[in-house]
Amino acid sequence: MISIGNTVPDVTCEAYLPDGRIEAVSLAHYRGKWLVLFFWPLDFTFVCPTEIRAYSDLSHDFDVSGAVLLGASVDSAHAHRAWVRQGLGAVRFPMLGDVSRALAQGFGVLAESGVAVRATFIINPEGRVVSVAANDLNVGRSARETLRLLHALQSGELTACEWQPGEAFVAAA
């Protein structure tokens, strides 16, 4: 798995966009911006929609925080579109289709089963990974915690456990 401090691989994928279009999206396009990239195993599953809904519900908060939110699975952008239209409902961030598995392999999150593990990466404007979290396939993650981590990392300060934006920072001795 890609580690803290590693540079993000320059991978291009087709993406299903919130406006319904499908187009190529390159990770290099987001240099100079904070980026939150999260992987889910497969479309049309049980835990994945709970995470995607949670991230979509907070997409405005990520945007206001100056971060681009991207989601990805090994399904195609066309499968993402079908899932949105057949029950998932509107999603407010680009959904990357990684049928070649180049993105999942580049981030080191491809499981032996051929799907991506539940992994979340926060990437700074220089294109370096500053946070990595991964779960087994059966355990969902917290979009709110990802947003809290983004704010803490953007602050550049020492932040305590359970720190929330607006709270005091830890004073260095």
Side-chain angles (χ1 to χ4, degrees):
M1 182 174 298
I2 214 168
S3 299
I4 303 292
N6 290 146
T7 301
V8 173
D10 182 18
V11 177
T12 299
C13 298
E14 278 197 331
Y16 176 66
L17 304 177
D19 66 7
R21 291 179 298 123
I22 292 177
E23 69 179 39
V25 170
S26 170
L27 292 186
H29 174 76
Y30 299 105
R31 287 282 166 88
K33 301 176 184 177
W34 284 89
L35 178 62
V36 175
L37 172 63
F38 74 99
F39 290 85
W40 65 89
L42 286 172
D43 292 355
F44 295 98
T45 56
F46 304 102
V47 176
C48 299
T50 66
E51 294 180 314
I52 293 166
R53 295 265 33 97
Y55 277 100
S56 186
D57 290 347
L58 290 175
S59 64
H60 178 73
D61 297 74
F62 284 99
D63 190 43
V64 166
S65 299
V68 174
L69 178 63
L70 298 174
S73 80
V74 298
D75 298 287
S76 71
H78 297 280
H80 295 330
R81 177 174 50 200
W83 194 24
V84 164
R85 292 179 178 173
Q86 301 297 321
L88 179 63
V91 173
R92 291 176 251 181
F93 57 83
M95 300 169 76
L96 305 179
D98 185 27
V99 292
S100 72
R101 286 148 170 84
L103 187 64
Q105 287 176 332
F107 277 83
V109 298
L110 192 63
E112 287 183 26
S113 63
V115 302
V117 298
R118 295 183 194 287
T120 308
F121 297 87
I122 300 176
I123 301 146
N124 72 13
E126 291 77 43
R128 298 211 178 272
V129 174
V130 292
S131 177
V132 177
N135 297 350
D136 200 357
L137 300 179
N138 62 333
V139 177
R141 73 206 110 177
S142 169
R144 286 202 184 284
E145 175 60 6
T146 303
L147 185 60
R148 186 194 76 80
L149 285 170
L150 173 67
H151 290 152
L153 291 161
Q154 288 175 327
S155 78
E157 300 290 338
L158 299 173
T159 58
C161 174
E162 305 300 332
W163 174 88
Q164 294 295 321
E167 292 181 356
F169 298 112
V170 174

